[in-house]
Amino acid sequence: MNMPLIDPFARAISYLRVSVTDRCDFRCVYCMSENMTFLPKKELLTLEELDRLCSAFVRLGVKKLRITGGEPLVRRDIMTFFNAMGRHLDKGDLQELTITTNGSQLEKYAADLYAAGVRRVNISLDTLDEAKFAQITRWGRLPQVLRGIDAAQAAGLRVKINTVALQGFNEDELFTLTDWCADRDMDITFIEVMPMGDIGNEDRIGQFWSLRDLRARLAERSALTDLPDNSGGPARYVRVAATGQKIGFITPLSHNFCESCNRVRITCTGEIYTCLGQEGHSDLRGPLRASEADHDLEQAIRAAIARKPKGHDFDYSRQKVDGQVSRHMSHTGG
Ligand code: SAM
Ligand code: SF4
């Protein structure tokens, strides 16, 4: 029975984020340690398994699919997977296929992504300063990413920039970044840094820059109008009166967005996490590999959704990080 996926709190699950690899060509300081250990390749779902899994979710009512990682575009033959997912768009079963990427491979793949049916991409960029970019991503190079952004826009992809707000790092670039995006007709979303995974010696509390403060600084320059939420996700949006630009804020630590959460996440090893901020997860790779028919898989998906928690427990109050989860963002996908 293809009954839609509804969790115990009456939230319909219509949005799936899938991490297709834990590997990455960057080593962003808030995401990974420099000597990050990656999973053995045999642990990863094959592209065929990813197809079966995502297709099962589409059958069960998922309308929006976001591909993430690690860096999704470093996975070998990943375009085969995007092209395969395009069939669900063609049939109208899937409304949107999107990707979150660091942009390093977009010069190569932007046109192929468009051909596969992708229309919007999120590109992560924390600074427009070449030296700071190399510092924060460790292995990334800004000109390559800027060429990727050019290629994405030239291919017809709508670009949204994702920027992690980092105290003492990009506070001074707030207007440089927002103006640069406005000039290029790109939206921008700021993300509060989240306590995910062991990332070496970085001090997370030192990195945390409250988006309440960031928003107040934006508001000093131009009036901001709150936009109604329609994504079911953690982002809240405002319109800048002076330019018409849309600016988003993802504030899992200082606001609670859980009541409207419509999403679940799959790791590159086929674990389903029904809440980004909780450890609870279940395995879908076992049922996927146990049988070529999808019955067991669909049962396992339904059982996982039936255990989706009400909300997360992140808390940065009193200078102590509570509710910290041990897995890396690159494992679950951001
Ligand atoms: N590699 C791709 C990228 O960077 O866009 C996709 C995966 S990355 C894990 C997805 C998003 O998570 C990026 O925008 C990144 O900045 C963000 N991110 C990673 N670690 C984070 C953390 N600890 N707190 C908040 N955002 C984080
Ligand atoms: Fe790679 Fe994205 Fe993590 Fe940076 S944030 S290390 S680009 S997965």
Side-chain angles (χ1 to χ4, degrees), residues 60-281:
L60 297 175
V62 159
K63 297 287 175 219
K64 185 169 169 181
L65 183 60
R66 177 172 295 279
I67 307 306
T68 176
E71 175 46 43
L73 295 179
V74 301
R75 170 120 193 207
R76 191 193 294 196
D77 290 336
I78 192 62
M79 258 341 118
T80 310
F81 172 74
F82 274 98
N83 288 330
M85 288 302 103
R87 75 182 184 275
H88 298 306
L89 293 169
D90 294 342
K91 281 195 267 170
D93 297 336
L94 188 65
Q95 283 165 4
E96 195 174 34
L97 175 62
T98 55
I99 178 171
T100 301
T101 171
N102 65 24
S104 70
Q105 308 301 313
L106 273 178
E107 198 177 12
K108 188 166 155 200
Y109 288 129
D112 294 342
L113 286 169
Y114 190 91
V118 175
R119 292 293 175 267
R120 296 194 304 151
V121 294
N122 286 0
I123 304 177
S124 303
L125 182 75
D126 301 329
T127 173
L128 285 168
D129 178 291
E130 217 172 310
K132 280 163 76 180
F133 189 87
Q135 183 194 347
I136 200 81
T137 62
R138 293 200 188 98
W139 295 3
R141 295 296 169 258
L142 181 64
Q144 185 183 354
V145 171
L146 295 181
R147 286 198 304 274
I149 295 172
D150 289 343
Q153 290 197 297
L157 295 166
R158 175 105 194 124
V159 175
K160 189 180 79 167
I161 298 295
N162 278 348
T163 302
V164 178
L166 295 163
Q167 200 173 68
F169 178 76
N170 55 12
E171 283 168 289
D172 58 336
E173 286 186 79
L174 178 58
F175 295 119
T176 320
L177 279 161
T178 51
D179 291 352
W180 179 74
C181 287
D183 288 347
R184 300 187 55 130
D185 190 26
M186 302 187 298
D187 295 328
I188 179 166
T189 292
F190 291 96
I191 310 174
E192 270 179 3
V193 73
M194 287 179 255
M196 312 275 301
D198 170 21
I199 42 143
N201 295 327
E202 306 297 327
D203 172 9
R204 287 190 191 284
I205 293 171
Q207 294 179 341
F208 178 73
W209 175 18
S210 161
L211 295 194
R212 195 170 304 179
D213 177 55
L214 186 154
R215 184 187 159 130
R217 284 201 218 168
L218 286 173
E220 279 170 19
R221 202 171 68 153
S222 169
L224 307 175
T225 318
D226 284 309
L227 295 174
D229 169 55
N230 52 15
S231 70
R236 293 293 172 264
Y237 295 95
V238 295
R239 178 90 57 203
V240 181
T243 59
Q245 186 182 22
K246 198 170 142 187
I247 298 185
F249 307 98
I250 301 184
T251 56
L253 305 173
S254 45
H255 285 117
N256 213 313
F257 49 84
C258 304
E259 68 283 351
S260 60
C261 180
N262 60 357
R263 57 195 60 200
V264 296
R265 295 174 163 79
I266 306 274
T267 68
C268 52
T269 56
E271 295 162 318
I272 176 169
Y273 282 83
T274 52
C275 175
L276 180 61
Q278 299 278 2
E279 298 283 6
H281 62 278

Side-chain angles (χ1 to χ4, degrees), residues 22-32 69-72 101-102 124 136-137 164 329-330:
D22 62 336
R23 289 172 167 71
C24 189
D25 51 345
F26 291 4
R27 292 288 180 280
C28 302
V29 297
Y30 46 74
C31 182
M32 296 182 185
E71 175 46 43
T101 171
N102 65 24
S124 303
I136 200 81
T137 62
V164 178
M329 192 74 112
S330 53

